[in-house]
Amino acid sequence: MRRNGLDPIEELARARDGEGIVRVETPFGLPAYLVCRKEDVRQVLADPARFSSATPLPGAGQDDVTAGQLIRLDPPDHTRLRRLLTPEFTVRRMNRLEPRITEIVQTALDNLERAGKPADLVAHFALPVPSLVICELLGVPYADRGEFHERAARILDTSLPVDQRVAAQREDHDYMAGLVARARADPGEDMLGMLVREHGDDLTSDELTGIAGLLLLAGHETTANMLGLGTLALLWHPDQLALLREDPELIEPAVEELLRWLSVVQSLPPRTTTTDVEIGGHRVPAGSLVICSIPAANRDPALIDAPETLDITRGTTGHVAFGHGAHHCLGAPLARMELRIALPALLRRFPRLALAGPDERVEFRAFSLVYGVRALQVTW
């Protein structure tokens, strides 16, 4: 899942445009089939009966840790839990958050400016905005952000030994379990409190812990990396940046194009075939691990013309940056809203925004399951 700057590595494109599916070894040392074409990726993600998300991974046996983790569940368990959460993530419900998100963005911009140039866009803007939003939504103390950011980095870092990543998952579970216990004793007005009040008898504490942990991890990691990487993409494509500055109405298609072109989620959790299947003309035996490459699928020529080109005027393209099927990202409306508010606000506040230093000094999160930049020094 390596990357070359903002682009997927050439081997992914060759695999997609060639056989479409190749054998690889996962970071856990297990063999798997890597699916690279858009239609094949959609086939896998849309069929939980033949491609199960309940895939045992190293560290299995921790049933309490994986309980409530929607991305690792199949129907009917997945259906039951998602039905409880879906009302909280509708576009209408997310729109109610817009004034508060706007405040959070403006405060982060104030802090970035106060830090003085050059300043790290990731530390002062890209990471704080989604972190505070998801903390307030869930009822997680923002003061604890340093700890859960560090744990998230270890969980997602495929270069670390498996036991260290599993230990980080355990630490994260224990932390969230403490929050769930407090919410059960005194439920607040946040989402965790709502789940306790309205569904406390239907959800075990381990399920509540898993749900909250997943939402916290996904809620800040993906959007934070989209904000950092998206800003870098625009700075490296000044023609696209100029278009967005000249016409703020382009922000919606720009967000969709950045989501497609960057594909910060490099792959979704592996599926396990429950029977012999055919993917893109290839037979895959029952019991095989299958991994979907999101960057390869989103740059498939079958999806869109000139897929390697960043073109913010395209609009919606049917990308799979948020997944597809039953596991389509629950928080997609929230992520889109944060990006639509934060990116234009950044460009308005700093009309002369630029990188502070040569391009080659940008350090990417090369081994993270959620791709991004470790830091982004900017000036204005």
Side-chain angles (χ1 to χ4, degrees), residues 274-353:
T274 59
T275 184
D276 292 355
V277 296
E278 184 177 294
I279 307 174
H282 297 269
R283 179 183 173 277
V284 177
S288 300
L289 283 184
V290 176
I291 298 174
C292 294
S293 173
I294 303 304
N298 277 341
R299 295 203 185 187
D300 189 339
L303 172 68
I304 198 168
D305 292 336
E308 300 297 330
T309 300
L310 178 67
D311 179 0
I312 66 167
T313 67
R314 289 188 207 266
T316 302
T317 58
H319 62 72
V320 289
F322 287 118
H324 179 67
H327 285 277
H328 182 271
C329 178
L330 193 64
L334 177 60
R336 284 185 166 108
M337 175 174 286
E338 290 179 89
L339 293 170
R340 288 199 301 262
I341 294 172
L343 284 173
L346 174 67
L347 299 181
R348 284 193 303 270
R349 176 69 71 91
F350 304 110
R352 302 180 58 152
L353 187 72

Side-chain angles (χ1 to χ4, degrees), residues 202-220:
D202 305 319
L203 294 167
T204 68
S205 290
D206 284 334
E207 286 178 328
L208 278 169
T209 298
I211 290 169
L214 176 60
L215 293 177
L216 179 63
L217 177 67
H220 79 270

Side-chain angles (χ1 to χ4, degrees), residues 104-105 108-109 111-112 120-135 142 144-153 156 216-229 231 338-339 342 365 370 373-376:
I104 289 171
V105 166
L109 289 171
N111 292 337
L112 177 62
D120 180 7
L121 186 85
V122 173
H124 295 290
F125 183 71
L127 189 54
V129 168
S131 295
L132 184 52
V133 170
I134 198 65
C135 281
Y142 187 58
D144 295 346
R145 64 192 181 280
E147 296 176 21
F148 65 70
H149 289 163
E150 187 274 332
R151 285 194 300 269
L156 297 171
L216 179 63
L217 177 67
H220 79 270
E221 275 288 332
T222 51
T223 307
N225 284 290
M226 271 301 304
L227 283 172
L229 213 59
T231 301
E338 290 179 89
L339 293 170
R365 292 160 48 115
V370 180
V373 288
R374 296 190 185 281
L376 193 66

Side-chain angles (χ1 to χ4, degrees), residues 157-178:
D157 188 349
T158 59
S159 70
L160 292 178
V162 172
D163 60 340
Q164 291 186 28
R165 295 177 63 195
V166 170
Q169 288 179 318
R170 166 58 66 185
E171 292 168 22
D172 202 57
H173 175 272
D174 292 345
Y175 169 77
M176 296 308 300

